[in-house]
Amino acid sequence: MESGFGSDFGSDFGSGGGGGGKLDPGLIMEQVKVQIAVANAQELLQRMTDKCFRKCIGKPGGALDNSEQKCIAMCMDRYMDAWNAVSRAYNSRLQRERANM
């Protein structure tokens, strides 16, 4: 599932700074962080789509019936709720561990 996110990040990779071709480590780190965030979002969407499709669509056809639409919507909502709960717990734990260092 290629959505085109991040396809042009590589072209800007060392171009910020304009100081005679020197690479700006801060700019590079920001671009890497953006690429990681995009990759994580794509993975989340792909996993959610796969899981909810397998759960809700028994016999694929030309269109989704009403019950399949409801199942997909509920599945995606629950998946996102679970993802957000895990993310909050993970970030909270990271903050506690950083505070204890």
Side-chain angles (χ1 to χ4, degrees), residues 35-79:
Q35 288 178 334
I36 290 170
V38 168
N40 285 337
Q42 287 175 328
E43 182 180 353
L44 168 64
L45 183 59
Q46 184 64 45
R47 284 185 181 188
M48 182 172 54
T49 301
D50 289 344
K51 288 182 183 296
C52 292
F53 183 87
R54 275 188 260 120
K55 178 182 180 355
C56 297
I57 311 300
K59 294 183 180 179
L64 297 176
D65 66 26
N66 195 31
S67 65
E68 290 171 332
Q69 289 178 15
K70 287 180 182 178
C71 181
I72 291 283
M74 294 291 287
C75 177
M76 293 177 93
D77 286 345
R78 285 191 308 268
Y79 196 95

